[in-house]
Amino acid sequence: MKNLVSAASPRRSLRDRIQTDMYLTRLDWHLEAVLTGKDRRATVKELRQAIAGDPRDTPSSLRDLGSPKTLARQYAVDDDRRPLWSIGIITAGLALLVYSALFLAFTFGMVAAVDANTPMEAHATFFFVDVTAFSSPDSVGMGWTSSWAWLIVPAIIGVVALLLGARSWRIFNRR
């Protein structure tokens, strides 16, 4: 009975499982450039099982595997690299988040400026969107109007960030 217990793989701590998940997630992002989805999932599953079954501690196991980018290159069948669409989606989301934060900071900055000089009304433009801020002794407010820019500007920002983040030019470099 003791031999069976010692032969079993050690129970990993929460920290070890998080380290493993982070490593495998980064590896999966890099594998997206060299393997198809089915092969990528099978490779990550196989590595997860190998790490879980390794009797050494998790940091040593991960260190021996090397960087996720280098390990992913070893799985490449040929030199063709695919676009990294998942990275592109994350990049687009971050770009839209930054755009929204800048837009709100601009708008609230205008409100703060007109509130300091009550009564007042101010008009400005942020990426083709007309922004209005007003302040009177009784109220303070803001508004924005635009015909096409309200949807088109964020869409352009999102698409450009997606294409750049995904390294979409790799589509054209394939043989």
Side-chain angles (χ1 to χ4, degrees):
M1 183 77 162
K2 286 185 180 181
N3 290 340
L4 290 176
V5 173
S6 63
S9 62
R11 176 80 174 138
R12 303 292 178 171
S13 68
L14 177 61
R15 182 173 185 229
D16 289 344
R17 287 181 290 193
I18 290 173
Q19 282 180 327
T20 302
D21 286 344
M22 297 276 292
Y23 182 88
L24 292 175
T25 299
R26 290 191 340 250
L27 176 67
D28 190 27
W29 287 346
H30 291 293
L31 284 174
E32 184 177 6
V34 296
L35 295 176
T36 63
K38 184 179 178 182
D39 294 335
R40 194 173 73 237
R41 285 187 297 276
T43 301
V44 169
K45 183 179 179 183
E46 179 183 315
L47 277 172
R48 183 179 306 279
Q49 291 171 348
I51 292 169
D54 195 340
R56 297 175 298 160
D57 63 333
T58 301
S60 297
S61 300
L62 296 178
R63 194 172 32 254
D64 287 348
L65 287 173
S67 78
K69 187 174 185 177
T70 305
L71 183 60
R73 283 185 188 151
Q74 294 174 5
Y75 283 98
V77 176
D78 52 24
D79 288 338
D80 287 343
R81 313 245 326 147
R82 303 167 195 270
L84 303 170
W85 296 115
S86 59
I87 300 296
I89 290 170
I90 292 169
T91 305
L94 289 174
L96 291 173
L97 184 66
V98 167
Y99 170 77
S100 300
L102 290 174
F103 181 79
L104 289 175
F106 180 81
T107 304
F108 285 121
M110 283 185 60
V111 169
V114 297
D115 191 37
N117 298 312
T118 303
M120 187 177 178
E121 184 172 318
H123 301 276
T125 303
F126 183 83
F127 282 108
F128 308 104
V129 177
D130 297 324
V131 180
T132 303
F134 62 88
S135 178
S136 67
D138 300 344
S139 63
V140 64
M142 65 183 142
W144 46 86
T145 57
S146 179
S147 56
W148 57 272
W150 185 247
L151 295 175
I152 299 297
V153 170
I156 290 171
I157 290 171
V159 167
V160 168
L162 172 79
L163 294 175
L164 290 176
R167 300 176 183 129
S168 59
W169 56 87
R170 290 179 174 175
I171 292 173
F172 304 110
N173 292 339
R174 299 189 70 157
R175 294 180 196 136

